[in-house]
Amino acid sequence: MKTLLEEIINDSTVSGEKLGLCLICNDIELYKRQKGMSNNSGSENIINQEQLDELVSRISDVEEAEKLECFVQLQSFVQRAQAMAFAYNQQAWNGCSRLLMYMAQAQQVEHARKLIENLPIIMTETQYLEMPPPGALAKQRGFALISNEFPCRPKCLTVEDYFIQPEIDCFQEMMCLENIEAMKEKICSFRTELLENGMRRNLAYNELCRLIAERIGLDEFNVFSVDAEQLIEQINEMNEKRIAFSDEIAGEGDEFSNKKRILEDVFEIIDTDAFFPCAENVEKVRCLLDDIGIFRTSLDALVDILAEKGDA
């Protein structure tokens, strides 16, 4: 079966759209080779400069020349927009990593508190006799009594012969949920400005690649997409850790309720499906692509349309 390039080489007149498709096939093959995705079987799609000049010289119709220019502009768009999509992908990774770091540190604090909370309350005989009736948490934990002559005084006992309860180190306490609330604005910006914006732009570009592939009848055009699957998996894993975090909050009563409120407020579950272009915007762009002239003027605008949030 003849390739598209072989067909137009033998044609007496050259179609601007067919030659444009040859240029795109050429770019696809070169890109696949660069990424180690090709077995070099696509050599028949490679156009050298001499062939290209000769084929262009056979285009005499202004309308066909304009169609070729559309594909030349498409080539230019892909080079620029793919680099931007990679940058947005890395931006989203950055936002995800920062969110995960803050949440993990707060989770470590609560985990340590939970461990301490489940240990028996250590106290001296004097302390036990002088303390008020134990609360519900104290009853649950139980007591471990030590002698007033505990040998590691003064590090473990106060002057009143009370045992000094273990504490979490000061750095961890800085990252506790109570202090995280004061950093809500910054943490939320990681989610909205870095992760969400990066994901929307990355996925909008990918969807445009899919729609262009559909429009020009060339599925391999999707090779220019920027994969976001690993990032989506990472976000879903972070959501699972966030759900597990809810079961690790230490304390009881108002203290527990307040920390759970902060967790739900600052570290919201992230709906990755909401980052994909909505069906309405996809259909709008598909209709705009009916006119191939849009390749020359408005491809960046199509990414903007696809990146817009759909109706809630």
Side-chain angles (χ1 to χ4, degrees):
M1 182 182 294
K2 287 184 178 181
T3 66
L4 187 58
L5 178 58
E6 289 170 333
E7 284 182 19
I8 63 172
I9 285 175
N10 295 322
D11 288 341
S12 56
T13 59
V14 174
S15 158
E17 184 163 346
K18 282 187 178 181
L19 181 53
L21 284 170
C22 285
L23 292 178
I24 298 300
C25 289
N26 184 77
D27 287 354
I28 290 171
E29 179 60 26
L30 293 176
Y31 182 75
K32 287 168 70 176
R33 291 186 185 186
Q34 178 188 350
K35 296 295 183 181
M37 301 162 59
S38 173
N39 57 9
N40 293 332
S41 62
S43 300
E44 64 276 8
N45 293 321
I46 300 298
I47 308 174
N48 59 46
Q49 190 61 48
E50 183 180 354
Q51 285 176 316
L52 179 58
D53 292 342
E54 197 277 326
L55 289 169
V56 170
S57 70
R58 281 199 264 151
I59 297 178
S60 57
D61 187 288
V62 173
E63 185 177 344
E64 292 301 320
E66 289 178 347
K67 288 180 180 178
L68 174 59
E69 177 62 18
C70 290
F71 283 91
V72 171
Q73 291 303 317
L74 176 59
Q75 286 181 297
S76 177
F77 167 78
V78 169
Q79 292 173 359
R80 183 183 71 258
Q82 187 188 50
M84 288 298 298
F86 273 118
Y88 279 118
N89 181 274
Q90 291 306 302
Q91 172 185 309
W93 271 109
N94 187 4
C96 182
S97 297
R98 293 189 183 200
L99 283 172
L100 190 55
M101 178 190 71
Y102 277 92
M103 188 175 72
Q105 289 176 333
Q107 192 171 14
Q108 287 173 6
V109 174
E110 289 305 306
H111 182 69
R113 287 174 171 176
K114 196 81 169 177
L115 287 175
I116 292 173
E117 184 181 88
N118 290 328
L119 292 174
I121 298 174
I122 303 173
M123 59 182 66
T124 63
E125 296 167 346
T126 299
Q127 187 177 356
Y128 178 73
L129 293 172
E130 294 178 354
M131 71 175 288
L137 185 59
K139 288 180 179 178
Q140 174 186 324
R141 290 173 60 180
F143 301 95
L145 296 182
I146 60 173
S147 169
N148 289 349
E149 305 303 320
F150 196 64
C152 62
R153 172 194 298 277
K155 293 183 179 179
C156 295
L157 299 181
T158 67
V159 292
E160 297 89 2
D161 285 334
Y162 280 27
F163 184 76
I164 300 173
Q165 299 296 326
E167 295 180 355
I168 303 172
D169 69 71
C170 59
F171 173 75
Q172 283 189 312
E173 282 290 354
M174 286 171 57
M175 304 307 296
C176 67
L177 280 171
E178 296 92 322
N179 291 336
I180 285 287
E181 186 172 32
M183 295 183 275
K184 176 184 175 180
E185 185 175 344
K186 178 170 71 171
I187 294 173
C188 288
S189 74
F190 296 153
R191 183 177 64 249
T192 57
E193 295 174 20
L194 294 181
L195 190 155
E196 180 174 338
N197 184 54
M199 282 291 293
R200 285 189 183 281
R201 302 297 300 190
N202 182 173
L203 294 172
Y205 166 77
N206 286 357
E207 182 62 21
L208 182 57
C209 284
R210 189 187 70 79
L211 291 171
I212 291 173
E214 177 186 290
R215 169 64 179 83
I216 64 178
L218 197 60
D219 287 344
E220 282 197 304
F221 188 84
N222 285 297
V223 74
F224 296 123
S225 296
V226 176
D227 181 52
E229 285 303 313
Q230 286 186 326
L231 180 53
I232 291 172
E233 289 176 8
Q234 179 64 55
I235 295 170
N236 287 331
E237 287 179 14
M238 182 167 66
N239 283 336
E240 291 175 5
K241 291 177 181 178
R242 154 66 178 77
I243 293 169
F245 191 173
S246 296
D247 297 326
E248 294 184 11
I249 297 175
E252 57 185 350
D254 291 342
E255 176 194 6
F256 176 86
S257 298
N258 184 53
K259 287 192 288 186
K260 189 158 188 178
R261 175 190 61 78
I262 295 169
L263 175 63
E264 293 173 351
D265 192 32
V266 178
F267 298 106
E268 297 178 13
I269 297 295
I270 297 173
D271 179 11
T272 54
D273 289 342
F275 297 147
F276 287 86
C278 69
E280 180 184 354
N281 291 343
V282 169
E283 192 55 38
K284 184 187 300 184
V285 169
R286 181 180 279 114
C287 291
L288 290 170
L289 285 170
D290 283 343
D291 178 9
I292 205 166
I294 204 167
F295 288 177
R296 290 196 296 171
T297 58
S298 306
L299 288 173
D300 289 306
L302 300 188
V303 175
D304 293 339
I305 292 171
L306 291 168
E308 291 174 0
K309 292 182 180 180
D311 294 333

